[in-house]
Amino acid sequence: DLVGSTALSTQLDPEELREVVRSYQQTSAAVIERFGGHIAQYLGDGLLVYFGYPVAHEDDAVRAVCTGLEIVQAIRGQVTGDGLRGRQHPLQVRIGIHTGPVVVGEMGGGAKREQLALGETPNIAARVQGQAEPDMVVISEATHRLVEGLFECEDYGRPTLKGIATPLTLYRVVKEGEAQSRFEVAARKGLTPLI
């Protein structure tokens, strides 16, 4: 989600705002494509991205987190100017990631049909994203279990997520860790002796 797009819409001409959103979308899409993600929907100033569909990889959670960190870095360097007032507005994003089962199917009617993932996973991901501060990647506990040791993460608490009955522990992703594989992570924790 692009931070502050409503405020930007009051400060920029619609044509300028369109260019800002288009630039954000193109920058994000290039990173998403590089890590094998699939953009399911462009939601105004937000993106709905799937990892694991239409092509699954054993490290889709890792790919999603890497994508989130790189999008934050790529967008952080962009600014938009207010031509009338000469002010600069830094662009910022919020990213939320959750892992879980879904059913993907064709939705919609008439000429407008889309392949969408249904289930609680996309809803939880949206709620997780809503907890993130600007330029922050926040992941759920389910995602954290899959990427633990490969990224430095900080406990982000157990906020109440609207519509989600069971509180989830969230984690803020700080940066990539030093381990390059799940084997390295396991070796650092201690391996079981071979018998």
Side-chain angles (χ1 to χ4, degrees):
D1 184 48
L2 187 62
V3 175
S5 61
T6 302
L8 278 176
S9 71
T10 65
Q11 299 166 356
L12 301 174
D13 287 343
E15 293 84 5
E16 291 174 320
L17 180 62
R18 181 187 66 200
E19 292 307 313
V20 169
V21 172
R22 185 178 288 164
S23 173
Y24 146 72
Q25 289 175 341
Q26 290 171 343
T27 300
S28 298
V31 176
I32 292 162
E33 185 178 314
R34 196 167 68 248
F35 284 99
H38 171 74
I39 299 174
Q41 282 187 317
Y42 288 93
L43 304 165
D45 63 350
L47 299 172
L48 175 60
V49 180
Y50 302 154
F51 287 85
Y53 172 86
V55 178
H57 306 92
E58 69 177 53
D59 63 344
D60 278 315
V62 173
R63 289 169 182 253
V65 175
C66 285
T67 299
L69 290 173
E70 285 210 21
I71 288 173
V72 168
Q73 288 302 315
I75 299 297
R76 187 177 280 159
Q78 296 183 11
V79 295
T80 182
D82 182 344
L84 299 175
R85 297 173 191 88
R87 291 186 296 207
Q88 295 286 314
H89 306 284
L91 296 183
Q92 297 175 305
V93 291
R94 289 184 181 95
I95 297 177
I97 302 171
H98 178 62
T99 305
V102 298
V103 171
V104 178
E106 190 173 275
M107 301 298 293
K112 181 67 174 163
R113 294 181 181 271
E114 299 176 299
Q115 291 291 110
L116 290 179
L118 298 175
E120 71 174 0
T121 302
N123 298 330
I124 292 174
R127 299 294 185 232
V128 170
Q129 180 271 137
Q131 296 296 314
E133 296 293 323
D135 287 341
M136 186 182 288
V137 177
V138 176
I139 61 175
S140 67
E141 189 171 2
T143 302
H144 183 259
R145 280 192 302 271
L146 296 172
V147 303
E148 189 174 12
L150 297 172
F151 298 91
E152 282 186 32
C153 298
E154 294 176 350
D155 189 314
Y156 201 59
R158 294 172 62 99
T160 302
L161 303 177
K162 183 180 175 186
I164 310 300
T166 307
L168 301 174
T169 301
L170 303 182
Y171 295 87
R172 173 180 170 256
V173 181
V174 178
K175 64 179 183 175
E176 281 193 67
E178 293 183 18
Q180 297 298 311
S181 68
R182 290 175 128 342
F183 180 76
E184 276 187 55
V185 172
R188 288 180 183 179
K189 289 182 178 179
L191 297 172
T192 305
L194 180 63
I195 298 175

